[in-house]
Structures are given as structure tokens and as C-alpha cells.
Amino acid sequence: MKKIWTSFLGLLLCCGLSAQQLYGTLLNEEGEKLFGATVQWENSTTGTVADEEGRFELPLQDTIANLMVSYVGYESVLISVEEGENNLEIVIGGISDLMEVEVAAQLRDNYTSVIEPMNVEVIGSGELRKAPCCNLAESFETNASVDVAYSDALTGAREIRLLGLRGIYTQMTVEKRPTISGLASPFELEYLSGSWLQGIQIAKGVGSVQHGYQGITGQINTELVKPFEGDRLFINLYGSTFKRGDANVYVNRQINSKWSMGLLLHGSSRQNDLDDNQDNFYDTSQKELLSGMFRLFYRGDLVRAQFNVHAVKDERVSGQIDHEGASGPLFSIGQNHDRVEMFGKIGYLGFKNLLTTTGLITNVAWHDLKSFYGQNRHTGQQRNAYLSWIYSSAIGSESHKWNAGVSYLYDDYNEFLNDTDLSRMESVPGIYAEYTYKHVDKEGVKAPPSILQNFSAIAGMRIDHHNLFGWLWTPRLHLKYSFSDENAFRFAIGRGYRTANAIAENIGLLASSRNIVITERLQMEDAWNMGVNFTQNFSLGGQEGSFALDAYRTWFNNQVIIDREHRKREIWLYNLDGRSYSNSLLAVLSYELIDGLDAKLAYKFTDVRMDFLHGFHDMPLIARHRGLVTLDYETPDQKWQINTSTNLVGRQRFPYNFGFPEEVIKDHEGYSPVYATVNVQLTRRFGPLELYIGAENLTGFTQENPIIDWQNPFGEHFDASLIYGPITGAMYFAGFRYGLK
């Protein structure tokens, strides 16, 4: 493994580092996204095609240059792009020779759209560069919607939380393709490099029925760099005081006008003996991770297709430190993951009706797991296949669109925890249909004002048949009304399901001496989600700003309950008998204080409660109150940039540890303290080269004695799973990015 890592680093150092990019979105006067529009630099072969969200990305020119925009039914036009402009919203009005183009505004790197019927928050590549962002797990450090937490003090596994609930209730997709779940879930966020990401979309609440019956609290979709848009060569190297080094590279090649290919590589190594709290356990796991993806794209006039292969090798070691004078066996943890995934898409655009398209998405994956946690052994293999076919068109006019399709999900688990067989096979065929209304004036006809012009809706239903749990009915509804072009009020309600992976999704529980007891056959988790959102963009004192307010409630018909409080030496897993809900409120204010200086203030309230066997209680280790403050400044010449974020975390309830000696649990009783962390990053640009340095957790706050009874790892009280905050102090880092056009 070390030889592979050394060779990988050598390859990166022999390559070359990110060129400035121009990002933009193409819309018409009604706010419709111009999917398929061609964008190209004048007198250049450098160009691209807007995706289905109307977005495009091009290498930024060094001087003032003209951008040529072409779209079916319109004459091509030129737009002058001034120096310093790198994120545009382009609005197209009229048709043919009456076409007008307006550069409406510079898009923010992080915003909630007032056009989308769904409540979708967009994180652009500029926002991702405000932190080191070496993998997807580290891409939410400046985001108020998503929280990222460690599951325990030993394994290094991290998970997200959205709308107050764990990330297992949020569907993860890559380019709108469901992926990386099951045995891969503990470390799935680390298998995608941050340098590979073109952007992230966070859809809060239930999403589209197109992507399945999962996604109870939302969907996080990641867009990867495309070989026909990105730099020909991009390199990012990163190192930290925690003896961690990361290397990221991608190489793109435009073979001809239709074919392009890309190779994306990511490597991460952490080899440290850090033990700041002197408990004789590594504060962070040691790991060696290699991840690579090959991409092949075809973009013809009538057919679009892509084929991808993604491979991951992940090895981790943690636990007690073997030091001189140690006696007896050590409590060690080893985790080995091997994964291969192949996925592809093909779409046909050649129908007479330009609003009609059809496409097929396929995915097959194999994941092998070998791990041990002290005396516990967790092993398994997962074989997964997914297929989805969709047909989209319109009813009469562009205002009434619909899509329908079929899908099939296959999951085969051969999984064991010690001698307990957790194997199962899931086979789920399904059908779905969805209708979208959004007012669009007929060509050449301006409709009289009406309430429907500001109203949009998405209504969908899917029906699946699960071989283990029977019929699944998934209705979903999204409504939006805009009182003006600068605001949106949304309402959404819908149902979602998921199959619990009891051990893989809770591996932190294995870092303890407690026995895991699955008391009954675990049923499919079933929940409803309902929420509202109000977003308002505004101008104040000549500067731009926005305000967004989210309020969501999730309630469960069935949930797999993880009960740490029923028995002293056991953790019980059972089906919900009673109530379980999560209420979440989020308010975010963003404002440009002066030119180049952006501020964001956010407050989040979370109330998560459920019926345990011993009564109706708050979910342990969930902060009711959270706050986020970010300040970002960029000099007028864009050569210097400083980004800061401060996270405030309220107190969290510890599980009731009855029967434990007072001296053992004194730091794990009642509620955790309120704490704050501060992160900062300074970036200096030299043309295509970016140098950055920074620090995380500058307050140096750490959880005191994170491991219960660390002196006796094989004793009856040992538990490393009760984590509420950082277990390592301040960390300093440095790195660079370089892109070759």
C-alpha cells in the first residue's frame, strides 16, 4: 500500500496546479433554464454546453473577451466579459433577431434559488475553496444547513446531519445518480475528492420521485468536473500538522468535438501518533486511501452518453498505542474497504418536439469489507445494481411538463457481525410519474397578469415493490409562489422509506464493550416530511443580500431505535413503538457589507424526540441550538482572499449511564458544555497558481476524556462512542492548487 501511495505522489509531483474559471447560468425572461445552449469564447475553440440546470463553466480569459451564446430558435449573440467577472447570470429575452441579452448579476457562491419549485441550496466551486475541502465530508464547513460530526473517538467515521436527523435519512447522489450506501456508508463522504467537485446542491425535505423512495430529509447531489469543461490538468496538494497529506489530480482531454475523457485521482495518508489527552489511544485514526475515476463522454447532436469507473482502496488503523512497558492485549481497530463501481448514462434528444427527451441511468458496484473492533469482527460483501429509465415531455405547452419512468434496485449483502448472520437480498422494481407546472408565455404572446404566472408546482408519485417489505407508496408535492422576482415561498410534503443497515451505519457502537442486541426483525423505516421555506433577495445601501427561513417537521411511522439506556452493558436496536419526530428551524442572513466583504449569519434550532422503551426523551448527543458566522473578503484584484467561519454549538444530552461508577462517567453525565470552533484560511493567487494556509479549531476546544474508562478497554464500562465535539485541538494546514488550461 505504501509503495502505491509513494508512486501516486510521484505522479502528482511530475504533473504540473487551478486556473480561474468563468461560471454562469443561462435563463430566459420567465426564469426557465436554457438546457443545451452553446457557450463559446469568440475566435476560440474553447466552448461548452449548458447543463439541464442552465449552468456552464469555461476557463476564464486573461483579458476582456466576448462570450458567444447560441440557442435553438435564436440568433447567436456576443456578451462582453470584463476583467474580474467570473460568476454570471445571463438572462435571454425575445426570439430570433429580437433577441436581447442582459448580464443580470454576479451569482453568489452559496445561495438558495428563488426560481426552483424545490428548496435547493447551491454550493458553487468558489464556496468549496473557502476551506481545504480535500473530500466531500469537508465540503460543508461554511454551510449552515448541513452539520458534520464524528461518530466516535476511535474509527474516524464522520456523518452529516440535515434537518436534525442523521445523514442516513438524506439521499446521496452523484450527478443525480443514487450511489455509495450500505457497507460503504461509514466513510462514503471521503471517497469523493473535494477537488473533483464542480458544485453541490442540497435539496431540503423530500425530493423528486425520479431518484427513488429514499431521501426522507433531503438529497445532497454532487456535480463532478466534466472532461469537456475542466482544466486539462489540475493538481492540489495539502498537508497538515496532524501528519496528514492529501494529493488530488485530474487530467482531461478533448478527443474531438464529440468525445472527451478524464482521469480523476485522489490520495490521502495520515500517519500520526497524536495523543493530546494522554489516554493512550490515538486521537485520530491512521489511514491510507486511494480513489480514482475514469470518465468517457460522448456529446452528439442527438445522443449524449457517458461511462465511468470508480475504484477505492481504504485502509485504517486506530485504537490503543503500543508503547514500551505495555502489558496484555491492545484494543485495536482495523478497517479495510475495497470498492469498484461502474456507472453510465445515455440520453436521446432527437424528437421532433424539442421538449421531449429520454434517458437511461445504470450503476453496478461491488464493495468488500474486512474490519475488527477489539474482539468484534465485522465483515461483508455487497453487490449492488441500479437501473432507471425516464421519459420527459410536455402537455400542450412548455408550462406543463411531465416525466415518467421505471427503476430497479438490487442489493445483495453477505454480512456478519462475529457469528451473527446479517445477510439479505433486496429486489425492488418501481414505476414513477411526475408533473411540473411553471408558467411560460407562448411564443409571441404575452399573457395577461394572473396569479398562475407566479405559481409553480411539482406533484409526483412512485410505486415500488420490495421483496422483503411489500408495496411502497411514495407521494410527494412541492408548491412555490413568488410575490416578486426576488422572493419565493415554498411548501413541500411527502413520504420516504429506507432499509436500515444496522451495523454498517452504526460502527461507532462497536468501539465499546457493550453488546449490540437486535431484539426483533427490523422493519423498513417509514416517515413523512413537511416543510416551508421563504427566501428573499434584497439590495441595501447599494449592496446585495439574501434572507432564507426554513421550517421542517419529520415524523416516523416506523424507525429503527438505537437505545443506549435500556440495559447497562447492552445497546438495543428495535422498531419504533410510539412517536418519533424531528422539528428543525433555520434562519440564514447573507449580506455584502462592502465591496468584496461578505458576511453570513445563521441560527439553527433542532428538536428531536422519540419513544424509547424507558419513555419519551430527547435524542442523545444532538444540539438544540447552533450558530454560524462567516466573513469572507477578496481584494479587488482577486489576488488575496481570506475566509473565516465560527461555529457555535449548544449543549447536548448524554445518555443516562445508570450503574456506572461516578469516577468513570463524571465527564459524560447530564449535558455537554456549549463550545465554539473557529476556522480561517488565507489564499494568494498567482495567475493559475493558488497558495493557501489556514487553521481549524483555533479555539483549541476539545472534549474532556472522550473515552469512558479508557484504562480498561476490555472492561465492562469501556465506551468510545459518546462524542459531542472535537477530540483534537488546533490544526494548521497549507497547500496549493494549480490548473493548466
Side-chain angles (χ1 to χ4, degrees), residues 117 136 287 572 588 654 670:
L136 183 57
K287 72 169 183 178
W572 280 32
V588 181
F654 283 114

Side-chain angles (χ1 to χ4, degrees), residues 386-402:
Y386 172 79
L387 181 146
S388 177
W389 170 79
I390 185 171
Y391 181 89
S392 302
S393 191
I395 305 173
S397 72
E398 196 173 350
S399 297
H400 304 273
K401 294 182 179 180
W402 64 274

Side-chain angles (χ1 to χ4, degrees), residues 83-389:
E83 290 187 70
E85 292 183 319
N86 63 356
N87 209 338
L88 305 177
E89 182 181 273
I90 300 173
V91 179
I92 297 178
I95 59 174
S96 299
D97 58 338
L98 301 178
M99 183 179 182
E100 298 175 359
V101 177
E102 173 190 0
V103 180
Q106 289 225 133
L107 290 175
R108 294 182 295 276
D109 291 322
N110 185 196
Y111 64 93
T112 298
S113 170
V114 295
I115 298 175
E116 290 289 336
M118 295 185 186
N119 182 14
V120 178
E121 181 180 353
V122 178
I123 302 176
S125 59
E127 184 74 10
L128 295 174
R129 294 192 179 194
K130 294 178 181 179
C133 190
C134 291
N135 56 57
L136 183 57
E138 296 163 333
S139 301
F140 304 102
E141 293 185 1
T142 61
N143 185 266
S145 299
V146 178
D147 305 320
V148 180
Y150 284 96
S151 66
D152 59 87
L154 296 179
T155 66
R158 287 193 279 188
E159 66 175 14
I160 63 168
R161 293 172 184 166
L162 183 63
L163 304 187
L165 292 173
R166 298 178 58 196
I168 56 177
Y169 300 108
T170 300
Q171 185 179 35
M172 304 297 297
T173 63
V174 176
E175 298 181 338
K176 299 187 177 180
R177 169 186 55 88
T179 184
I180 309 182
S181 60
L183 297 183
S185 58
F187 303 106
E188 62 180 350
L189 298 178
E190 297 187 39
Y191 294 162
L192 291 177
S193 163
S195 296
W196 299 0
L197 304 183
Q198 182 173 293
I200 301 173
Q201 299 91 45
I202 305 171
K204 304 171 191 176
V206 291
S208 169
V209 295
Q210 293 181 27
H211 306 121
Y213 50 79
Q214 304 90 341
I216 292 171
T217 59
Q219 180 186 93
I220 296 180
N221 179 63
T222 58
E223 292 290 334
L224 306 179
V225 294
K226 310 297 190 294
F228 51 87
E229 292 178 342
D231 296 325
R232 284 189 296 154
L233 172 67
F234 177 86
I235 297 178
N236 169 218
L237 297 182
Y238 163 94
S240 80
T241 54
F242 286 176
K243 297 184 180 179
R244 171 182 164 183
D246 281 48
N248 305 280
V249 63
Y250 61 78
V251 180
N252 292 317
R253 182 185 177 191
Q254 187 78 37
I255 302 173
N256 54 40
S257 61
K258 295 182 179 180
W259 288 92
S260 58
M261 59 187 294
L263 178 64
L264 296 79
L265 300 172
H266 166 68
S268 180
S269 177
R270 183 171 55 219
Q271 303 294 328
N272 68 75
D273 52 2
L274 189 66
D275 183 21
D276 281 349
N277 52 25
Q278 301 297 307
D279 61 6
N280 200 37
F281 280 83
Y282 291 107
D283 290 344
T284 60
S285 63
Q286 302 183 51
K287 72 169 183 178
E288 290 193 353
L289 168 66
L290 292 178
S291 178
M293 184 182 297
F294 171 76
R295 316 195 77 192
L296 180 64
F297 278 68
Y298 174 80
R299 298 178 63 79
D301 296 331
L302 302 181
V303 176
R304 304 284 174 84
Q306 61 170 281
F307 172 75
N308 307 264
V309 180
H310 185 199
V312 177
K313 186 168 185 61
D314 182 12
E315 298 179 357
R316 300 167 188 256
V317 176
S318 57
Q320 275 187 296
I321 301 173
D322 187 5
H323 62 277
E324 186 177 350
S327 61
L330 298 176
F331 187 96
S332 299
I333 295 177
Q335 300 156 307
N336 293 327
H337 294 260
D338 294 294
R339 180 178 181 85
V340 177
E341 184 175 27
M342 294 184 291
F343 58 95
K345 296 181 181 181
I346 184 169
Y348 179 69
L349 312 175
F351 296 95
K352 290 183 179 180
N353 184 346
L354 297 180
L355 299 177
T356 300
T357 61
T358 188
L360 181 69
I361 300 175
T362 60
N363 187 100
V364 294
W366 170 85
H367 194 100
D368 182 74
L369 165 67
K370 296 181 180 66
S371 62
F372 61 88
Y373 306 81
Q375 297 175 343
N376 290 313
R377 297 292 185 272
H378 182 217
T379 60
Q381 283 191 355
Q382 177 186 1
R383 296 175 177 85
N384 168 270
Y386 172 79
L387 181 146
S388 177
W389 170 79

